[in-house]
């Protein structure tokens, strides 16, 4: 004959808060309810060159300069809802513009999983970026889960004529400055600013007399200083 007894049952399980009704999971013929706490959301943002300065800053034959940027928005415990991500070129500094049709790199955004795998959003997100003057923005990106991140890459352009004006004017700014922002449905704005300083001599031309009595000209285009 079976007899009743008292004992302890110990187990390990993974719980998904999104499927918990009022934060509780019921089991054992609805006898026991286990309450789980919702993790506090978090967001952090980092910004800089996409790679080394040598690969991320270049010029064309017309003297225009380009900077290839990388913005990473990450979370440790989850973003707390959908994410907005945008970048603003600072007014009153060296004039610049976003360059979505750049011949080398376009504007891209990818999602990085907790194990470090980077992949396109594909069907997760049907929207696209918007450029409104000095602002580049993605709105309503899908919620980031634990350990995930978004990586935004884009190019800014500094026109040759604006560089010439900056180098000619004693009070003109020679600094390209911009700030990246991110927020979620449950969290306020996070931001990270960077700048690139352009020197006075971006283009240098030197000549030397060769053995044939002709001048060999060398034109050197100097990259700006690293972003701060």
């Amino acid at each position: 004959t079976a007899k009743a007894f008292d004992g302890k049952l110990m187990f390990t399980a993974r719980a998904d808060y999104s499927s918990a009704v009022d934060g509780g999971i019921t089991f054992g013929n609805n006898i026991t309810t286990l309450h789980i706490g919702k993790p506090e959301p978090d967001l952090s943002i980092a910004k800089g060159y996409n790679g080394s300065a040598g690969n991320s800053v270049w010029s064309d034959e017309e003297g225009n300069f380009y900077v290839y940027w990388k913005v990473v928005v990450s979370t440790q415990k989850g973003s707390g809802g959908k994410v907005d991500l945008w970048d603003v070129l600072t007014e009153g500094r060296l004039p610049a513009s976003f360059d979505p049709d750049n011949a080398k790199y376009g504007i891209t955004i990818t999602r990085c999983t907790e194990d470090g795998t980077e992949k396109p959003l594909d069907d997760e997100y049907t929207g696209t970026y918007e450029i409104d003057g000095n602002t580049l923005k993605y709105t309503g990106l899908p919620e980031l889960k634990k350990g995930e991140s978004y990586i935004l890459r884009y190019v800014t352009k500094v026109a040759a004529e604006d560089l010439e004006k900056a180098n000619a004017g004693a009070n003109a700014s020679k600094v390209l400055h911009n700030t990246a922002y991110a927020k979620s449905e449950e969290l306020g704005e996070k931001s990270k600013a960077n700048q690139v300083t352009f020197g006075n001599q971006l283009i240098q031309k030197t000549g030397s007399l060769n053995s044939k009595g002709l001048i060999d000209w060398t034109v050197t285009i100097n990259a700006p200083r690293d972003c701060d």
Side-chain angles (χ1 to χ4, degrees):
T1 304
K3 295 182 180 180
F5 67 93
D6 293 329
K8 292 183 179 180
L9 172 65
M10 300 181 67
F11 64 93
T12 301
R14 175 176 292 182
D16 183 359
Y17 184 87
S18 62
S19 63
V21 179
D22 296 326
I25 296 178
T26 302
F27 58 95
N29 277 339
N30 295 324
I31 296 175
T32 302
T33 299
L34 177 66
H35 290 277
I36 58 177
K38 182 179 181 180
E40 291 294 327
D42 66 277
L43 277 179
S44 63
I45 187 167
K47 179 180 179 181
Y49 289 145
N50 186 68
S52 66
N55 295 326
S56 299
V57 182
W58 69 93
S59 62
D60 60 22
E61 295 179 353
E62 298 175 351
N64 303 307
F65 267 84
Y66 304 88
V67 182
Y68 191 27
W69 297 97
K70 177 181 179 180
V71 177
V72 181
V73 176
S74 57
T75 180
Q76 294 182 347
K77 299 179 181 179
S79 63
K82 293 182 178 180
V83 176
D84 292 344
L85 171 57
W86 68 103
D87 191 275
V88 180
L89 297 169
T90 307
E91 295 182 0
R93 300 293 187 95
L94 182 64
S97 60
F98 296 105
D99 190 11
D101 301 319
N102 186 270
K104 292 183 69 173
Y105 306 107
I107 297 174
T108 62
I109 189 164
T110 55
R111 186 169 186 155
C112 196
T113 60
E114 188 176 10
D115 65 3
T117 303
E118 187 176 348
K119 59 182 181 179
L121 293 179
D122 293 334
D123 297 334
E124 291 184 81
Y125 182 68
T126 57
T128 186
Y129 63 83
E130 294 181 0
I131 295 179
D132 183 8
N134 64 341
T135 301
L136 164 66
K137 188 171 187 178
Y138 278 91
T139 304
L141 294 166
E143 181 177 7
L144 289 172
K145 303 299 183 181
K146 174 186 174 184
E148 292 185 330
S149 61
Y150 283 122
I151 302 177
L152 170 64
R153 295 179 174 92
Y154 61 93
V155 175
T156 53
K157 175 183 177 180
V158 180
E161 55 266 32
D162 290 321
L163 285 170
E164 291 175 3
K165 292 177 183 178
N167 288 326
N171 297 321
S173 175
K174 300 170 186 174
V175 177
L176 164 60
H177 187 278
N178 58 348
T179 305
Y181 299 86
K183 69 175 184 178
S184 71
E185 293 175 294
E186 297 183 25
L187 293 174
E189 288 183 5
K190 307 290 182 180
S191 64
K192 175 64 177 177
N194 280 97
Q195 64 185 36
V196 178
T197 303
F198 291 80
N200 288 328
Q201 286 189 307
L202 288 173
I203 301 177
Q204 295 176 298
K205 184 177 181 181
T206 57
S208 59
L209 196 65
N210 61 28
S211 59
K212 297 181 180 179
L214 302 175
I215 297 177
D216 291 328
W217 291 103
T218 301
V219 177
T220 304
I221 300 178
N222 299 315
R225 284 182 253 161
D226 284 358
C227 59
D228 302 319

